[in-house]
Structures are given as structure tokens and as C-alpha cells.
Amino acid sequence: MNSRRASSVLHVRELGSEDVLIKILYCGVCHSDLHAAKNEWGFTNYPIVPGHEIVGLVTKTGSSVQKFQVGDRVGVGVIVGSCKTCDICQQDLENYCPKVILTYNSKDQDGTKTYGGYSDIVVVDQRFVLRFPDNLPADAGAPLLCAGITVYSPMKYYGMTEPGKHLGVAGLGGLGHVAVKLGKAFGLKVTVISTSPKKEVEAIDRLGADSFLLSSDPEKVKAAIGSMDYIIDTIAAVHPLAPLVSLLKMNGKLITVGLPDKPLELPIFPLVLGRKLVGGSDIGGMKETQEMLEFCAKHNIAADIELIRMDQINSAMERLAKSDVRYRFVVDVANSLASP
């Protein structure tokens, strides 16, 4: 991946009346960026500039912008546009709009391509710009704009927030570690489910999980059958769902938010016999994303990050492919571009 100053060589659309020009300070490195860069989902339109966990400063506003002023600290997440008029958009669920515009690898309203946060500037419609709370760190808070809302939204929608209930978090990566923190903030009992025994100490001592389940140990999985009210499955690789379904109590909910590049096999008998639910969720609308940021600010929730310079992005991607990051890379964009 070429880490040159992207906005210098690729077109950034002109500032419209409803637009905000943002100087990018930090950008998280999402697993989706890796999928897109390698075209693992099959719809990458090269060239692309990834990055949809953006925190920056407003440097200019369009003539009709009233929500933001020059100097405001703001965030931009996974989407930068939608039709704004359909029933879905009217419900503040712009992320599900059939005409949603992604922050990168998408076509903007004016027909230009969208380019993401591995750059120095971005132009975004004010509706899709978020106020970034003062007490959230700009670097460690950036991953909340994708990882945070990806786990927050399903927890709210599927009613997975009742204090005292038991939440399983499958996978302890960029999404999973934020899910643990959110679960504890909601007052849930949280168990991390992982194939890696090395993550037990991190899950409990570093992130505050109540317990750890080694999913590669059949005896431990057997002992935990029927013990969880909810599971949020953050695993981005192909994996069996049957063991996760077996961990649920009657009426339990398994919600998947990871995006493997191949279909998963879903057993139906355990769902029917236990009245269990399997669902999915895709980030959240702008109103809910702002709500999530405020919740995280109130509860001092941010990502655990490794800060890198832009010229380290290729090695970071290689490490990300091996799950060798605790737990999110964040590019220090402003300082990367400040020197030759």
C-alpha cells in the first residue's frame, strides 16, 4: 500500500454549502481496511485510500453549515452520505439506506470517488460529521467511530444491556475489546470467548472481563453450555457457530458483527429447540453514533491502541492479518505529514 500524502495525488471534492473541511489528526486501522485493500470482499474499486475512524479539526465550513465552526474537534466514521429522504434515513438509520455512501471506495453525490482517512484532509456533509467529546482522547477515541458503534448498536437494539445478565464476547480484537468495556459499563457479567489461552490474562486483568472461556477446550465449552444470555460475535474469520449457539440459554441471542469472507454454517435445530435468535448488525446511524460517543466519554471508554506513523502502515497491515495488535492501530496522521 502506497502511504504517500493521498490528498496531494487524488481528488478531494470541492467544498459545498453543506460541507465541512476537516484536517485529519488521527485515523484508526480497521480490519475492513485490510479486506478492502486486498479486495477480499470482491468490490474494491482501485485506487482506494482506506480509513473510516477519523478524528480531526474543522478548518473550513460551507455557507449553510450551522452545526460546526472552524476549530471544532470532530469525528467521521464509516459513512459520509445517504439519500436523507427515505423512510430509513428518516429513522436516523442512514447506515442502512440503499444509497448509503461509504467513507472510502464509494461514489459521492457529485460522482467523484470517496477517499478515507489515510490522508491529510477530508470533505464531509455536516450531517455525517460527529462532535467529538472533549474528554475523549483523539487517538484512542478514533476507533470508536467504527469498532465502538459496531458493538454498541446491536447491544442497544437487541436489548443486550440489562444489568446482571451474562454477555459472551467472541473474539478479543479491535471490536471485542471495546465490547468488553461497553458490557461492563452496562453492568453485565462479561465472559471473553477465545481460542487463544494467552488472552485470558489480558481479558480479565487488563480489560476487566469477569471470566474467560477457552473455546478450543471441549471440556470447558461443555461446562459452559446454556450459561449465557447474549453473545456478540466479533470474529472476522470463518468459524463454527454451533459451539456459540450451544452456550446460550433459552431465548438467548447471538449477534454477529464480524465479516468473514466466506459463508458460515448455521445449525437450525438448536435455534428451534431453544427459541434462540441469531442476528446481525451494521454500525449505526448518525444519532446513535453520537450517543455512543457521549456514552463512552461518560464512562471513560476508549480503545487500547498502538500509535503508528503513516510510513508504518504496510507493516501494520501485515501484523493485523496475523491478529498481532493490542488492539487497534491508529495512524498519527498529522505528525506523519508534518515532516518529510
Side-chain angles (χ1 to χ4, degrees):
M1 179 181 295
N2 194 325
S3 58
R4 288 185 300 165
R5 182 173 176 156
S7 64
S8 298
V9 295
L10 297 173
H11 175 72
V12 176
R13 67 178 173 84
E14 296 297 324
L15 191 75
S17 62
E18 296 283 340
D19 291 336
V20 176
L21 177 63
I22 301 166
K23 175 186 177 183
I24 299 172
L25 301 178
Y26 298 99
C27 185
V29 180
C30 178
H31 208 283
S32 298
D33 299 345
L34 179 62
H35 285 305
K38 292 186 173 183
N39 195 26
E40 291 177 344
W41 290 331
F43 51 77
T44 299
N45 181 20
Y46 298 110
I48 63 165
V49 176
H52 57 205
E53 299 176 342
I54 301 167
V55 176
L57 297 174
V58 175
T59 58
K60 192 175 181 180
T61 61
S63 59
S64 299
V65 173
Q66 297 184 349
K67 290 176 60 179
F68 302 100
Q69 296 180 339
V70 171
D72 285 349
R73 195 168 68 146
V74 296
V76 177
V78 179
I79 61 174
V80 292
S82 70
C83 78
K84 302 182 185 179
T85 59
C86 68
D87 289 343
I88 295 173
C89 287
Q90 293 303 308
Q91 297 177 64
D92 297 311
L93 295 170
E94 300 94 340
N95 53 306
Y96 294 112
C97 175
K99 296 182 180 179
V100 68
I101 300 171
L102 303 177
T103 302
Y104 67 87
N105 194 40
S106 199
K107 184 173 287 189
D108 218 330
Q109 300 282 13
D110 65 351
T112 62
K113 281 189 66 175
T114 58
Y115 297 110
Y118 298 4
S119 181
D120 55 352
I121 59 172
V122 65
V123 174
V124 183
D125 183 320
Q126 65 173 335
R127 176 166 175 162
F128 300 90
V129 179
L130 298 146
R131 292 197 174 278
F132 206 80
D134 292 338
N135 62 324
L136 268 183
D139 51 2
L144 298 176
L145 294 160
C146 175
I149 188 59
T150 295
V151 292
Y152 180 89
S153 184
M155 291 177 76
K156 294 285 285 188
Y157 177 76
Y158 288 102
M160 301 163 64
T161 60
E162 186 179 342
K165 294 291 188 179
H166 190 178
L167 171 70
V169 177
L172 192 61
L175 298 179
H177 90 288
V178 177
V180 172
K181 296 182 181 186
L182 287 171
K184 294 305 298 178
F186 283 126
L188 301 170
K189 175 186 176 181
V190 179
T191 295
V192 169
I193 306 165
S194 175
T195 59
S196 173
K198 297 178 181 178
K199 292 189 175 181
E200 180 171 5
V201 173
E202 296 177 29
I204 296 173
D205 295 345
R206 178 173 174 174
L207 299 174
D210 297 285
S211 58
F212 181 86
L213 177 60
L214 186 63
S215 57
S216 55
D217 186 327
E219 289 303 313
K220 290 183 178 179
V221 172
K222 183 177 179 181
I225 286 175
S227 65
M228 300 179 189
D229 298 287
Y230 329 118
I231 296 174
I232 186 158
D233 181 359
T234 71
I235 301 169
V238 175
H239 61 286
L241 293 178
L244 296 178
V245 173
S246 75
L247 297 174
L248 292 172
K249 298 177 182 178
M250 188 183 79
N251 297 330
K253 302 171 184 177
L254 168 62
I255 309 304
T256 61
V257 293
L259 292 170
D261 57 4
K262 292 182 176 62
L264 303 184
E265 185 174 311
L266 178 64
I268 300 302
F269 267 86
L271 302 184
V272 172
L273 298 179
R275 200 163 66 180
K276 300 175 183 181
L277 181 148
V278 176
S281 182
D282 175 36
I283 59 168
M286 302 314 299
K287 181 179 179 180
E288 187 175 47
T289 304
Q290 188 67 59
E291 174 190 302
M292 177 275 304
L293 289 175
E294 301 296 339
F295 181 90
C296 289
K298 178 180 178 181
H299 293 277
N300 297 311
I301 295 172
D304 289 17
I305 67 168
E306 290 188 40
L307 198 62
I308 64 171
R309 291 174 57 85
M310 186 61 75
D311 59 11
Q312 297 172 301
I313 190 64
N314 287 334
S315 60
M317 286 288 190
E318 291 171 2
R319 287 180 55 194
L320 180 60
K322 302 173 184 176
S323 299
D324 178 23
V325 55
R326 298 294 181 272
Y327 283 93
R328 201 67 148 190
F329 288 117
V330 172
V331 182
D332 186 350
V333 175
N335 286 325
S336 295
L337 299 175
S339 57

